[in-house]
Amino acid sequence: MNFTYFGHASFHIEMDGTDLVFDPFITPNEKASHINVEEIKADYVLISHAHFDHLADAEKIVQNTGAKVISNYEIVTWYEKKEVKGHPLNHGGKWKFDFGTVKYVNAVHTSCLPDGSNGGNPGGFVIWNDNACFYFAGDTALTMDMKLIPQTCPKLDFAILPIGDNFTMGYEDAAIAAQFIECDTIIGCHFDTFGFIEIDHAAAVKAFADKGKKLILPGIGEKLRV
Ligand code: NI
Ligand code: MN
């Protein structure tokens, strides 16, 4: 699979020919000014929770591409009022799409839509097909619920975890999360976008290495083969 980082918690994964965009927050992110939202391909836009820094460009991408939104019930219902089609999930539930199975899993965080509407409870996604399985945690604290993932989903090939601290777990807790989810390859996100979440890259990589885990800190616009 091909992974392209758009900064913050935003990225694209091409999964066997299907274009998945996660938590698009690009045009308001000065550090991602070299990413052209108009060029982003999407069949589905997956939104972990309702905060602005996870959905700012969702509507624009849907308008450009005709993509469907996959998120929790409250967020999908909010988009349906704007004539955006979606597939609602709720925690613990999974659905088999044409590209693979998506399971919506717990996150410990908050979730309120930009207009003050209820964004439901925040979550993350575990996504798999016959070729691969990965986890995107969304914004979350370290939580014991992460231990359920290896018990209920196929073995993870990689995971995308927030590591920036302050609003989510920091890299120390994220390294423990990597142990809970039994995954050796972690892509960090939700770091360096603004002052509260700037991190020491070397210390973050070391926190994971000390536990036998590999932390990748992608540059904005960087593509990875995962
Ligand atoms: Ni958030
Ligand atoms: Mn966030």
Side-chain angles (χ1 to χ4, degrees), residues 36-48:
N36 184 356
V37 175
E38 307 296 332
E39 288 175 359
I40 293 175
K41 288 193 207 163
D43 296 303
Y44 296 93
V45 176
L46 292 91
I47 300 172
S48 65

Side-chain angles (χ1 to χ4, degrees), residues 21-28 37-38 40 42 44-47 51-52 54-70 75-85 113-115:
V21 171
F22 294 79
D23 284 10
F25 171 75
I26 299 153
T27 49
V37 175
E38 307 296 332
I40 293 175
Y44 296 93
V45 176
L46 292 91
I47 300 172
H51 286 154
F52 180 71
H54 295 260
L55 52 66
D57 291 306
E59 239 178 295
K60 181 177 277 184
I61 292 170
V62 164
Q63 280 165 4
N64 287 348
T65 61
K68 265 189 178 178
V69 169
I70 301 174
I75 292 171
V76 167
T77 303
W78 189 73
Y79 276 111
E80 280 174 347
K81 287 185 195 140
K82 298 166 174 272
E83 311 281 306
V84 171
K85 289 202 174 81
L113 284 151
D115 64 359

Side-chain angles (χ1 to χ4, degrees), residues 78-183:
W78 189 73
Y79 276 111
E80 280 174 347
K81 287 185 195 140
K82 298 166 174 272
E83 311 281 306
V84 171
K85 289 202 174 81
H87 182 105
L89 291 165
N90 218 327
H91 299 81
K94 63 181 184 302
W95 182 258
K96 198 166 193 285
F97 293 86
D98 49 1
F99 59 91
T101 298
V102 178
K103 183 169 184 176
Y104 195 60
V105 297
N106 290 353
V108 173
H109 192 67
T110 54
S111 181
C112 181
L113 284 151
D115 64 359
S117 300
N118 174 20
N121 288 320
F125 300 100
V126 184
I127 299 177
W128 66 87
N129 63 18
D130 289 341
N131 302 320
C133 180
F134 67 95
Y135 169 45
F136 169 47
D139 282 5
T140 184
L142 175 65
T143 163
M144 294 297 277
D145 288 343
M146 290 170 177
K147 291 190 174 188
L148 296 173
I149 290 172
Q151 292 188 37
T152 58
C153 302
K155 176 150 181 54
L156 293 170
D157 294 296
F158 67 98
I160 301 108
L161 302 180
I163 57 169
D165 220 327
N166 193 79
F167 296 118
T168 68
M169 58 186 173
Y171 56 76
E172 305 93 331
D173 286 5
I176 297 169
Q179 293 180 309
F180 283 8
I181 61 175
E182 299 175 12
C183 184

